[in-house]
Amino acid sequence: MKQLRFRWHLYIPTVVVTGLLLIPVVRESFRNMGFRWLYVLCVAYGISFCLTPVFGGIAKYFNILDNPDARKSHLKATPLLGGAAIFFAITAAIFLNGICIQPICIILTASALVFCVGVIDDISEISATLKMMVQMTVTGGVIFLGIRLHVIPDHLGWFAEAGNILLTVIWIIGITNAMNFFDGMDGLAGGLGALIAFFLGIVAFQTSQPYLGWLSLAVMGSCLGFLPYNLKGRGRASIFLGDAGSTTIGFILACLAVYGEWAVNNPIVAVVSPLLIFWVLIFDMIYITVDRVLTGKVNNVRQWLEYVGQDHLHHRLAQVMGSTKKSVVFIYLLTICLGISAVVLIHAGTLDALLLVVQGLILVALISVLERYGRFGPSK
């Protein structure tokens, strides 16, 4: 516990409060007062906060550590399994509240498989190809069980069916791995997970989808409970999410976006709203893919899966700003800016939605130009 910079004066009160929240009469009181959303958020936070040092201790005991090397910024072996605290906090917050409708159960069951593969990878690294095969299989399962996009109109028949399935696969696999790629700086993946879940939750409640809102808040609370150990004002993180955490968070949020109806009688807005919320992840995935292909760093899908580099948005910003913490805060603010745009879309029309997409494109284009100028200076 000492090596995890454990603070008993914060931990004990949180354990006590979380224990009180788990009492059935307390849960019913929150529900009767119309604060079920707050109860889910607080329980997820409390369980995650309490379990994170426990799993950190387990990781140290079994030597499940992220050891420093030339491509990593931390200087000492750091426990993994922070994602285990997040996963169990999400699951507990949902099932303790009886939020057990079929789509939620499908998402959590599928995410459990992603989580298990991530834990195996954290313990003994497995190939990127094998992980991708598992993710494809799990994604195929959720699609088969009804969680899929409906972007292409159904009246187009088999073309719509095949196109929507393909788009669903690309979305879920892309977001899952994009979140994993962002787990490269203290507090980045956990904070992004909390922010994306927050905005998904707001839009879910705006569009009368309380079950999706509660799951979003469970993800948000669990990420916030983990952050005190992973994002510190001074010093480095005492525990990491690990692949089990980052991929699970990305997978759950991606499935939420697929299943939800993000606008009322306006398909363009319904598509644009989640795009804006996930914009940072989408932009980074597209940018590094194009850049690596054009520069010859990757020449096929396998190389793309296995390539590890420090060319992601957070790395580039840190190089320009001279600080990883500044880079993390900048990405937080960018996500908040785009998330606010998604929230106001509920009252917007098709033209407004398209203009916000253009605004998002311009915003990330400006950032790309400025960070590239900061790294290389003016072109000759």
Side-chain angles (χ1 to χ4, degrees):
M1 295 295 190
K2 182 178 179 181
Q3 292 174 313
L4 291 172
R5 299 168 206 163
F6 196 70
R7 294 181 175 89
W8 290 104
H9 66 284
L10 296 177
Y11 187 78
I12 296 299
T14 305
V15 170
V16 172
V17 173
T18 303
L20 292 174
L21 287 172
L22 297 180
I23 298 174
V25 66
V26 175
R27 180 170 64 248
E28 290 302 318
S29 297
F30 272 84
R31 183 180 300 184
N32 293 335
M33 291 187 295
F35 292 122
R36 193 176 187 180
W37 63 271
L38 179 60
Y39 182 85
V40 172
L41 178 66
C42 292
V43 167
Y45 173 87
I47 293 176
S48 177
F49 185 88
C50 295
L51 287 183
T52 296
V54 174
F55 281 106
I58 292 172
K60 291 186 73 68
Y61 183 82
F62 289 102
N63 199 37
I64 307 173
L65 307 172
D66 190 350
N67 295 298
D69 59 33
R71 62 183 178 84
K72 297 177 181 177
S73 59
H74 60 286
L75 301 177
K76 65 179 182 178
T78 304
L80 297 168
L81 296 187
I86 287 179
F87 175 73
F88 285 111
I90 294 170
T91 305
I94 292 301
F95 287 111
L96 283 173
N97 279 277
I99 306 171
C100 302
I101 63 170
Q102 186 179 27
I104 301 298
C105 292
I106 291 171
I107 293 172
L108 290 180
T109 301
S111 66
L113 297 175
V114 174
F115 169 74
C116 289
V117 173
V119 170
I120 295 172
D121 187 47
D122 290 334
I123 295 173
S124 178
E125 190 171 343
I126 59 179
S127 71
T129 303
L130 178 58
K131 286 187 289 186
M132 178 62 72
M133 289 175 61
V134 173
Q135 291 174 11
M136 292 285 287
T137 302
V138 175
T139 301
V142 300
I143 291 172
F144 177 77
L145 293 172
I147 296 176
R148 67 177 69 178
L149 291 169
H150 295 280
V151 176
I152 303 175
D154 292 336
H155 70 264
L156 295 177
W158 67 268
F159 176 78
E161 183 78 6
N164 285 324
I165 289 175
L166 178 61
L167 289 173
T168 304
V169 170
I170 293 172
W171 175 267
I172 295 178
I173 297 296
I175 295 298
T176 299
N177 287 282
M179 184 63 77
N180 187 35
F181 293 158
F182 265 78
D183 190 24
M185 289 181 179
D186 294 353
L188 183 54
L192 267 181
L195 287 172
I196 291 172
F198 170 70
F199 286 111
L200 282 178
I202 290 180
V203 179
F205 287 120
Q206 284 181 318
T207 51
S208 301
Q209 301 176 96
Y211 286 94
L212 297 187
W214 293 327
L215 180 54
S216 298
L217 290 179
V219 175
M220 177 185 172
S222 63
C223 289
L224 291 177
F226 165 78
L227 277 180
Y229 304 97
N230 185 245
L231 181 62
K232 297 176 177 291
R234 296 180 180 179
R236 301 303 304 272
S238 54
I239 186 171
F240 292 155
L241 277 174
D243 275 11
S246 56
T247 54
T248 301
I249 292 170
F251 183 83
I252 293 175
L253 293 176
C255 288
L256 271 172
V258 168
Y259 185 74
E261 297 289 342
W262 304 109
V264 179
N265 299 323
N266 194 327
I268 300 298
V269 173
V271 171
V272 169
S273 184
L275 282 178
L276 288 171
I277 294 173
F278 287 90
W279 201 260
V280 170
L281 298 180
I282 297 168
F283 166 73
D284 185 66
M285 179 66 79
I286 294 173
Y287 183 98
I288 62 167
T289 298
V290 172
D291 182 70
R292 290 173 182 179
V293 170
L294 292 179
T295 57
K297 296 175 182 175
V298 299
N299 296 308
N300 53 57
V301 175
R302 182 170 183 176
Q303 289 181 0
W304 181 84
L305 291 173
E306 296 178 350
Y307 186 90
V308 177
Q310 295 197 346
D311 54 353
H312 293 281
L313 177 63
H314 49 285
H315 294 128
R316 304 194 308 271
L317 288 173
Q319 186 178 347
V320 172
M321 303 174 113
S323 166
T324 58
K325 284 187 171 63
K326 289 179 181 178
S327 173
V328 170
V329 171
F330 186 94
I331 292 173
Y332 283 177
L333 294 175
L334 178 59
T335 304
I336 291 170
C337 177
L338 294 168
I340 291 173
S341 298
V343 170
V344 302
L345 270 180
I346 191 65
H347 302 299
T350 299
L351 179 60
D352 302 303
L354 294 175
L355 288 174
L356 285 172
V357 170
V358 173
Q359 174 183 274
L361 286 169
I362 293 172
L363 188 59
V364 294
L366 285 173
I367 291 168
S368 297
V369 170
L370 291 175
E371 58 88 8
R372 190 172 182 84
Y373 183 92
R375 285 186 294 150
F376 302 114
S379 59
K380 302 297 183 182

